[in-house]
Amino acid sequence: MSREKLIVDPGFVHHRKILTILQEQGSRIINQEIRSIPPTTPEWHKRVLIDQIYTRILIEFCRVNEIKTLEEILLEKRGRLFCSIVKLKPCQKIYEKGENDRIVLEPEAFEGSELTLELHITLGHVTASTLKAELECGGNFAVIAEYFASKDNKLIFHPLVIGFPYIQDIETGEPSWTLYSDFYNLYIEDFDEFSKVKEQDMPEDFKEMKQIKESLFKAALGKILSESTPKDWGGETSDFTTSHLHYQGKRLRAAFLLKGPAKFTPMTIKHLGKNGDQIIRLAKEPVDILIVQHCHDITSSVIEMLKIFATQPSNPRYYCLLDGRESLRLLEAYDLKKWALNESKKG
């Protein structure tokens, strides 16, 4: 099993605001770690290490307190803190401002919410020239921020941390060249229990998935994994959970969100309940991997939403998508297609 994890390399850290959030206990932990820095450490290196300490402790605070993603706040319209990887628009005027000037960072619009967001920062807190350069261009950044104010449909948050998400080898501390989103994105054949899929050709089309009920696809998963599958009920956070998947030799817990042919069209956010709340509920499952399956194609907006929830810096997890072709391929690999079609016809 991989010995790598998601790390945030901070370039903006607001020490005072973080201490206010963490209060006495968190402040004590931070001070203990700062005192452990060798006194011979060069001053520039010490500042970097202190920013990393603040960031690491704050991320742990977010994990323990189950702080929401930005998207969850936008969809639910409540919450004072968020911890997310956020796609920011280019901030082209960043080099025209002085250290004491306030600049506004704007995330890209999020499908499913009419709310917009601004991140207000004082430029003097940007300690890394690389971050400043990247903010000018825009891109994906790890952000932890606190609610400040709202006006009409606009929310204003003050960032506590802004940094770069990357994958680090736990044992060596070396960064990986693998993009964080690629690292956590798995395919169905990556799991030992579904390894037969590797030997199965991808079907040319997935029309037959229109005839296979969601309940029968779930039952097929149960057959492959040799376990029972629960009936659907209104309060479920996922359609099926299992602790019998293995990836790279390690046992994983997985939660599935399944969508059958009731709407045999490409999956959009609208397929996932009010404002995509089914993804939110799926992400609340205490599992290691989030899996979304659909009988048809899966649009980029759904893929992006699942990625955002799965790669939250305080709770990163693997994620996997099965569209119509992948679903049919799985059934064919385990000789369950005919069974699923016949059982679906019984009504």
Side-chain angles (χ1 to χ4, degrees), residues 37 39-52 127:
I37 298 175
T40 56
T41 303
E43 193 59 33
W44 70 267
H45 192 195
K46 185 176 181 180
R47 289 194 297 268
V48 171
L49 293 175
I50 289 173
D51 280 353
Q52 291 175 346
T127 57

Side-chain angles (χ1 to χ4, degrees), residues 10-23 27 30 47 50-56 58 81 99 101-102 119-128 131 142-146 148 157-163:
F12 171 99
V13 182
H14 201 303
H15 295 176
R16 180 183 60 80
K17 285 184 177 292
I18 291 174
L19 291 177
T20 301
I21 294 291
L22 298 182
Q23 299 183 347
S27 300
I30 286 176
R47 289 194 297 268
I50 289 173
D51 280 353
Q52 291 175 346
I53 289 169
Y54 271 81
T55 300
R56 186 170 63 253
L58 183 60
L81 282 175
E99 282 196 359
D101 290 334
R102 174 161 292 184
L119 301 175
H120 291 191
I121 67 171
T122 302
L123 200 53
H125 286 289
V126 178
T127 57
L131 179 65
V143 179
I144 304 174
E146 180 184 23
F148 176 70
F157 274 72
H158 286 175
L160 308 175
V161 167
I162 303 176

Side-chain angles (χ1 to χ4, degrees), residues 161-220:
V161 167
I162 303 176
F164 299 106
Y166 71 96
I167 300 299
Q168 181 188 67
D169 187 291
I170 297 174
E171 295 178 349
T172 67
E174 292 295 319
S176 169
W177 285 18
T178 304
L179 187 66
Y180 72 92
S181 54
D182 293 338
F183 175 80
Y184 286 103
N185 184 15
L186 300 182
Y187 297 93
I188 194 66
E189 62 266 28
D190 291 330
F191 301 103
D192 295 348
E193 288 72 17
F194 300 134
S195 59
K196 284 186 179 181
V197 172
K198 296 176 183 177
E199 304 167 6
Q200 183 69 40
D201 292 336
M202 188 72 72
E204 293 183 3
D205 62 60
F206 50 88
K207 294 178 182 177
E208 289 174 303
M209 287 301 299
K210 188 176 183 179
Q211 312 302 324
I212 297 175
K213 294 181 178 179
E214 178 185 315
S215 60
L216 269 301
F217 187 85
K218 178 162 60 174

Side-chain angles (χ1 to χ4, degrees), residues 54-107:
Y54 271 81
T55 300
R56 186 170 63 253
I57 301 303
L58 183 60
I59 289 175
E60 179 63 13
F61 171 88
C62 292
R63 184 191 68 81
V64 170
N65 290 279
E66 298 182 349
I67 299 303
K68 299 178 180 181
T69 63
L70 168 59
E71 289 68 25
E72 195 171 350
I73 283 179
L74 292 176
L75 293 173
E76 295 184 344
K77 299 181 180 179
R78 53 191 172 91
R80 296 196 63 84
L81 282 175
F82 74 76
C83 176
S84 280
I85 293 176
V86 180
K87 188 174 184 180
L88 297 177
K89 297 178 182 178
C91 183
Q92 297 174 342
K93 296 183 178 180
I94 194 168
Y95 282 101
E96 300 174 10
K97 303 291 185 178
E99 282 196 359
N100 296 321
D101 290 334
R102 174 161 292 184
I103 62 172
V104 176
L105 305 175
E106 296 183 65

Side-chain angles (χ1 to χ4, degrees), residues 168-310:
Q168 181 188 67
D169 187 291
I170 297 174
E171 295 178 349
T172 67
E174 292 295 319
S176 169
W177 285 18
T178 304
L179 187 66
Y180 72 92
S181 54
D182 293 338
F183 175 80
Y184 286 103
N185 184 15
L186 300 182
Y187 297 93
I188 194 66
E189 62 266 28
D190 291 330
F191 301 103
D192 295 348
E193 288 72 17
F194 300 134
S195 59
K196 284 186 179 181
V197 172
K198 296 176 183 177
E199 304 167 6
Q200 183 69 40
D201 292 336
M202 188 72 72
E204 293 183 3
D205 62 60
F206 50 88
K207 294 178 182 177
E208 289 174 303
M209 287 301 299
K210 188 176 183 179
Q211 312 302 324
I212 297 175
K213 294 181 178 179
E214 178 185 315
S215 60
L216 269 301
F217 187 85
K218 178 162 60 174
L221 290 174
K223 284 179 175 290
I224 297 170
L225 298 172
S226 300
E227 59 181 288
S228 60
T229 53
K231 293 183 178 180
D232 292 339
W233 62 285
E236 62 195 7
T237 53
S238 63
D239 293 300
F240 175 52
T241 59
T242 179
S243 59
H244 297 115
L245 287 185
H246 291 79
Y247 171 60
Q248 293 185 350
K250 183 178 180 180
R251 186 171 176 175
L252 298 178
R253 298 163 298 170
F256 289 78
L257 192 163
L258 308 174
K259 285 295 176 181
K263 294 182 179 179
F264 194 66
T265 57
M267 177 187 278
T268 66
I269 301 297
K270 293 180 180 179
H271 283 75
L272 300 169
K274 184 179 179 181
N275 296 328
D277 66 343
Q278 290 178 7
I279 290 279
I280 295 175
R281 296 205 303 270
L282 178 72
K284 292 183 184 298
E285 289 277 17
V287 295
D288 307 299
I289 178 163
L290 308 175
I291 302 176
V292 171
Q293 179 272 338
H294 183 47
C295 60
H296 206 286
D297 292 325
I298 300 176
T299 63
S300 59
S301 61
V302 174
I303 297 171
E304 184 67 18
M305 187 176 186
L306 180 62
K307 181 182 76 174
I308 287 168
F309 277 90

